């Protein structure tokens, strides 16, 4: 089966929200289907041993671009879940 790397934002576990639920549930279901899924939040992980890299979140577009470029350098197929939350109203209301 597939060996999948979920590459997520650094604060995935400390800033819990809908994206975290999506990551955890998707990993759970892929594992039920027999895939190996590793969830990492480090900036530049070692992607060499994975069949596919799934990137999550567009909150940090530059970071996402860098993570995707890194995966592409190693010739890894990629999936993207462009989860985005406009934080402007949240920031205004404190």
């Amino acid at each position: 089966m597939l060996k999948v790397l979920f590459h997520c934002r650094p604060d995935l576990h400390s800033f819990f929200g809908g994206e975290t639920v999506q990551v955890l549930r998707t990993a759970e279901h892929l594992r039920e289907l027999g895939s190996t899924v590793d969830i990492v939040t480090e900036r530049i992980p070692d992607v060499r041993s994975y069949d596919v890299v799934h990137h999550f979140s567009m909150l940090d577009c530059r970071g996402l671009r860098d993570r995707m470029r890194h995966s592409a350098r190693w010739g890894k197929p990629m999936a993207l879940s462009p989860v985005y939350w406009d934080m402007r109203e949240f920031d205004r209301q404190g």
Side-chain angles (χ1 to χ4, degrees), residues 19-93:
E19 177 185 356
T20 308
V21 172
Q22 179 182 352
V23 168
L24 297 176
R25 293 280 168 84
T26 304
E28 174 187 339
H29 293 295
L30 285 173
R31 288 174 181 139
E32 288 173 0
L33 294 171
S35 295
T36 299
V37 180
D38 293 328
I39 301 170
V40 299
T41 58
E42 61 195 71
R43 187 172 168 272
I44 303 293
D46 185 353
V47 299
R48 291 176 291 180
S49 67
Y50 295 93
D51 299 308
V52 65
V53 179
H54 189 147
H55 297 279
F56 289 84
S57 186
M58 289 187 66
L59 291 178
D60 173 15
C61 291
R62 285 188 199 127
L64 175 61
R65 178 199 62 204
D66 293 344
R67 293 191 307 265
M68 292 183 77
R69 282 182 177 166
H70 175 70
S71 298
R73 276 187 209 109
W74 288 100
K76 296 299 173 178
M78 290 178 268
L80 172 63
S81 290
V83 179
Y84 178 76
W85 177 28
D86 186 344
M87 301 266 305
R88 289 178 292 189
E89 185 171 342
F90 177 80
D91 290 340
R92 275 196 302 270
Q93 294 186 18

